[in-house]
Amino acid sequence: MIQNKKSSCWLGALMLVLTPASAYAEAEYAVQAGSTAYRIYNPYQFPSSSGNGLKTSDNVYSTDLRAALFLPLPTDRSHLSLTGAVSKMQYDTFRNLDYLKTQYIADYDWEYSDWVRGRFSRSTDVRLYTYFGGNFTNQELPHLKENLGEVALRITPRFDIPVTLSNQSLRYTDPSNTRLYNMNSDVSQVALRYESGIKSTLSTGFKQSRVNFPDRSASDISAIDSGYTDRELFLDTRWRFAENTIVLGHLGNVQRQFATLPNRNSNIPSYLIGVDWQYSLISSLGLRLIDQPQTNEQADSRLYSVSRAVQGLATWQATPKIKVSLKGSLETQTYQTFANLGNAVVGNGTDKLKRFGARIDYDITPRLALRTEAFTEKTVSNGGSTEYSRNSVQIGLHYTFENLVGNNRARTQIDGLQ
């Protein structure tokens, strides 16, 4: 809570200090307030066959406040964007899960000239742990923080060299999780990028990620290691195939080396193929094929997992005031687990996941919006022997005050929060 208050004060002070200094530039800001009601089934995601009394539904209510600022410093080419959100979540039955959900993002994009540009950002995120299996039911609020800096040198009008450094920390609040799963990550990346005259890009480079778990004991390390290092050579593309069609691609190979248990070292292919198709002025479709290693950002018994997935998103602007969105994914996660800390032998497992969601946004007025959303998820583990499911429905009403209506970039920042 203290950290949340400090972050709020820091953002507020920065907004007050910087706004007068750039009074000649037109700042864009937005403030949004409202309330959301949820109906959640099986929040702890017990197995479908479980008879546990906690495998039930609950009502959740949130009071939401979001704010954003887009400030040219001194022009749009060099600008500061600040975004923050706070939601007070209250449960009817599972009162131990009441918490304050917070998210803050500070981002400064700059260009010194046509030849040098960069970006600095800092973000924090606190939200409820994603429970699975019903084995853990205490309140858990993972705290995720990230700092990022990037500088790009343009060597020709078409080529530039972006260098990116970032660090991330993940901290848990429950004592049973902090020792094993508190995590630090340092990432460095260098690339050569080409931009064509038709808004297409192609880049190739090298990325290194060092991940460590600083609070593990000697016995923990002997069983599951203290961390690992990923090194990846990659090729990325964003190709504007047609005026209304963009093709995305990522191809890489991740070499994972564990800190003290080299027998677990491995090579993991990584690729993504996607397309964004603006079918018409009122409808669009996005598809993704993914085969990539995943970061263990939840406290569970997995050393690491590889995700193969098909994802889709369709949007339809049914009327000037009503927008309909449908999304879904079919995913297979292959992973290695450790059964207990006294045995260094790991096992293999596979989960099959199905996720589907639908959302309707109704702009009652330019400032007052009603959102309804439904989501369902089903997981099948161990060759079909165990099933888990989770469903939720929500409806929210929000009012937004903004100084520029219609093309407010601060409002877009708020809409982009997850």
Side-chain angles (χ1 to χ4, degrees), residues 37-43 45 130-132 311-313 325-331 353-360 371-379 388-395 418:
Y38 305 79
R39 179 68 174 175
I40 301 177
Y41 170 72
N42 195 15
Q45 205 162 355
T130 303
Y131 296 90
F132 183 80
Q311 301 173 346
L313 171 65
S325 304
L326 301 174
K327 61 182 178 181
S329 67
L330 301 175
E331 182 177 353
L353 293 82
K354 297 179 181 178
R355 298 187 178 99
F356 298 99
R359 171 174 155 178
I360 299 176
R371 174 191 294 177
T372 59
E373 188 169 0
F375 173 81
T376 181
E377 176 183 281
K378 182 177 181 180
T379 304
Y388 309 86
S389 62
R390 176 167 44 206
N391 308 298
S392 68
V393 178
Q394 70 180 70
I395 181 169
Q418 300 296 318

Side-chain angles (χ1 to χ4, degrees), residues 324-378:
V324 180
S325 304
L326 301 174
K327 61 182 178 181
S329 67
L330 301 175
E331 182 177 353
T332 299
Q333 288 186 355
T334 304
Y335 54 86
Q336 284 191 308
T337 63
F338 51 91
N340 57 71
L341 296 183
N343 187 349
V345 177
V346 298
N348 296 321
T350 301
D351 287 348
K352 294 185 180 296
L353 293 82
K354 297 179 181 178
R355 298 187 178 99
F356 298 99
R359 171 174 155 178
I360 299 176
D361 292 290
Y362 175 36
D363 294 330
I364 303 172
T365 72
R367 299 189 187 276
L368 185 65
L370 178 70
R371 174 191 294 177
T372 59
E373 188 169 0
F375 173 81
T376 181
E377 176 183 281
K378 182 177 181 180

Side-chain angles (χ1 to χ4, degrees), residues 247-250 271-275 287-290:
V247 178
L248 307 172
H250 173 88
Y271 73 78
L272 178 148
I273 301 173
V275 61
L287 294 174
R288 301 288 187 272
L289 298 177
I290 298 173

Side-chain angles (χ1 to χ4, degrees), residues 19 22 25-29 69-72 403-404:
T19 301
S22 299
E26 186 173 13
E28 300 172 26
Y29 58 86
L69 169 71
F70 181 93
L71 183 64
N403 65 328
L404 295 176

Side-chain angles (χ1 to χ4, degrees), residues 121-196:
S121 72
R122 177 178 175 84
S123 64
T124 65
D125 195 308
V126 179
R127 64 184 67 203
L128 191 66
Y129 171 71
T130 303
Y131 296 90
F132 183 80
N135 298 318
F136 177 77
T137 57
N138 296 340
Q139 187 197 67
E140 180 59 272
L141 301 175
H143 289 58
L144 183 64
K145 299 179 182 179
E146 183 177 35
N147 298 302
L148 180 144
E150 180 179 285
V151 176
L153 174 65
R154 186 169 297 280
I155 54 179
T156 76
R158 299 288 188 213
F159 286 94
D160 68 350
I161 302 176
V163 178
T164 308
L165 300 175
S166 67
N167 64 74
Q168 187 181 87
S169 69
L170 179 62
R171 295 293 183 266
Y172 290 90
T173 56
D174 190 275
S176 63
N177 291 327
T178 55
R179 189 187 92 242
L180 285 176
Y181 303 111
N182 281 353
M183 183 180 71
N184 296 324
S185 174
D186 294 294
V187 180
S188 56
Q189 177 178 301
V190 61
L192 176 65
R193 180 169 54 193
Y194 170 77
E195 295 184 8
S196 74

Side-chain angles (χ1 to χ4, degrees), residues 92 114 219 253 256 266 270 275 299 307 327 354 364 392 405:
D92 268 353
D114 292 336
S219 59
N253 183 72
R256 176 161 294 179
S266 57
S270 174
V275 61
S307 175
K327 61 182 178 181
K354 297 179 181 178
I364 303 172
S392 68
V405 179

